[in-house]
Amino acid sequence: MLTYHQTPVTEVHDELFVGASVRLFMKREDLNHPFVSGNKWWKLKYNLAEAEQHGKTTLLTFGGSFSNHIYATAAAAHELKLNSIGIIRGEERLPLNPVLQFAQQHGMRLYYVSREAYRKKADDSFIQSLREKFGDFYLIPEGGSNDLAVKGVEEFAGSIPGNFDYLCCPVGTGGTLAGLVKGLKGQKTILGISALKDGTFLHDEVVRLGATYTNWRVLIDYHFGGYAKSTKELEKFMDEFTQRHNIPLEFIYSGKMIFGIYDLVRRGFFPKDSVVLAIHTGGIHPATVV
């Protein structure tokens, strides 16, 4: 089992919230593990247990060159003394960026495939070709999002203190949002903020992963150009937020979520006296800090 550190719920004080009669809290899951942080810990928990149960000694997963999931899987495998293979979307670019450099230094074998081939990552024939190349492995999908990941996040959701009206989280592959929806069992209002451009498909993906309640939605206007993309506006916002509140953000997920929450407050989206809880899903490490 991976080590886990209990995490606090911290209030974010800001004049904007006072004026809108809204309170914002953050569940600091970025502090639950130094490398397998945030939602990655919960998404990997039962996948790692399943691999162990079946005697698998190698993990294989998928991700882009800035993937927090690739980073976390490499760290988890290293901690548990497992082998790991990362199927990376796109061509190799040297020198490696800090995420891939970290993964490689922690024992992950990186294998690059074209974007066209990467789109077939769920096809049986493609997976079989990987087994022929690498031998036996335990397969974890892109972003770690499968039924076992949803189970882990659902467990986490059940531990969240319930004194809030809105729960916010970033969305990449949909597994975390699906787990939160299932774990809260139709209670509260849950907002997923897409880190992807053209994220309308995420609604169907979250439903596919088991979110049968209707108290949630995906917001798609805060992607800042798409996955792992940023702008000067977002970077300035994150820098100011971190300086003011001593809570680090990263540009892939948490920065976009918090920017979105601030914008929603300015627009009067939340009724007066609302309490908003944001889940900090981690990804804060030297490799991804802007």
Side-chain angles (χ1 to χ4, degrees), residues 77-126:
H78 184 264
E79 182 173 325
L80 298 177
K81 296 180 172 53
L82 300 172
N83 302 313
S84 62
I85 301 167
I87 309 301
I88 308 301
R89 181 180 63 245
E91 298 179 354
E92 180 181 23
R93 295 186 179 183
L94 298 175
L96 295 178
N97 70 42
V99 171
L100 296 183
Q101 186 177 39
F102 173 93
Q104 190 174 75
Q105 289 173 344
H106 283 72
M108 178 173 276
R109 180 177 177 182
L110 304 178
Y111 180 67
Y112 299 85
V113 299
S114 69
R115 293 179 179 275
E116 180 180 358
Y118 190 85
R119 295 189 192 99
K120 302 175 183 178
K121 60 185 177 294
D123 292 356
D124 290 341
S125 59
F126 182 63

